[in-house]
Amino acid sequence: GTSLAYPLISMGAHVSDIPNHQTARKTSLKTRNDVASFGNFGYELNLLDFDTEMGEEVRQYLNFYKRNRKLIQFGDFYRLESPFESNAAAWMVVSKEKDEALVGHFTILAEPNPGYNKKVILKGLDSEKKYLVNDEFEAYGDELMSVGIVFPQPERYFSKDSETQDFKSRIFKLKEIK
């Protein structure tokens, strides 16, 4: 709700330790990083506790944020799906030139048999421009703002090896194709 009154550049968004000190929930490092990426990104945990694999994962997230910092801090922010009205949250940031965007989609609790037609409708794109989404497929802005991004099969994003299927995230990077 803070984003209703303040721009992303003014919000601290930090990855905390698990289990969470207030709820005792265990949320994946990926989801914690994906959520924190939409603000002034940082870590509130003991980096000395990381093993080599976790340290490399953190390094990748830091590099992702550095590559997208200008977009996140100065782009136009859109709330796409409210966690107060559904089991998911989604938001996006679009550059002033409308040549790139970053979309975050977050499933709060795992759903039994979620189906294959989940999607998120985007906003703020240039309807005439063609975008490459996650280096996987191409679509025009008008298509993404009317049909949306239809999610592939759930197992592509959700690991059956994780401790919980709750609190999952997806990040989509859009770049204009010139």
Side-chain angles (χ1 to χ4, degrees):
T2 306
S3 67
L4 294 170
Y6 297 97
L8 295 182
I9 194 170
S10 69
M11 292 188 290
H14 295 165
V15 175
S16 63
D17 208 357
I18 58 167
N20 182 277
H21 66 284
Q22 294 176 335
T23 65
R25 287 189 181 118
K26 292 182 179 180
T27 305
S28 72
L29 182 60
K30 177 188 180 328
T31 296
R32 290 179 286 148
N33 277 285
D34 288 351
V35 171
S37 291
F38 288 87
N40 275 326
F41 183 80
Y43 286 94
E44 284 186 40
L45 43 82
N46 188 349
L47 299 176
L48 298 175
D49 291 341
F50 289 0
D51 59 22
T52 305
E53 184 178 320
M54 194 171 180
E56 181 55 35
E57 193 174 349
V58 166
R59 190 175 358 272
Q60 290 173 8
Y61 286 117
L62 287 169
N63 288 334
F64 169 83
Y65 185 77
K66 287 176 184 178
R67 285 191 311 272
N68 293 286
R69 181 178 11 219
K70 182 179 175 189
L71 170 63
I72 293 164
Q73 292 182 346
F74 300 107
D76 294 326
F77 182 68
Y78 295 91
R79 289 163 216 80
L80 306 175
E81 197 169 342
S82 170
F84 307 111
E85 298 169 5
S86 71
N87 187 40
W91 51 71
M92 71 183 289
V93 180
V94 181
S95 68
K96 300 293 183 195
E97 300 80 18
K98 299 182 187 282
D99 61 345
E100 65 176 335
L102 199 60
V103 179
H105 184 272
F106 310 91
T107 303
I108 300 165
L109 298 176
E111 297 177 64
N113 194 18
Y116 294 99
N117 294 321
K118 298 278 184 187
K119 64 181 176 179
V120 62
I121 306 294
L122 306 187
K123 294 181 181 177
L125 300 173
D126 184 322
S127 61
E128 302 292 318
K129 290 183 178 180
K130 192 173 192 178
Y131 296 91
L132 179 62
V133 181
N134 280 3
D135 293 327
E136 295 175 8
F137 67 92
E138 300 173 1
Y140 283 95
D142 60 349
E143 179 183 2
L144 294 166
M145 293 187 296
S146 59
V147 176
I149 295 175
V150 179
F151 301 152
Q153 295 178 354
E155 55 269 9
R156 181 153 177 218
Y157 288 97
F158 300 149
S159 168
K160 296 188 186 327
D161 297 332
S162 66
E163 289 184 36
T164 178
Q165 292 301 315
D166 296 333
F167 311 109
K168 295 297 182 179
S169 63
R170 300 173 177 103
I171 297 289
F172 298 95
K173 175 70 179 194
L174 286 72
K175 292 183 183 180
E176 178 188 6
I177 299 171
K178 298 186 181 198

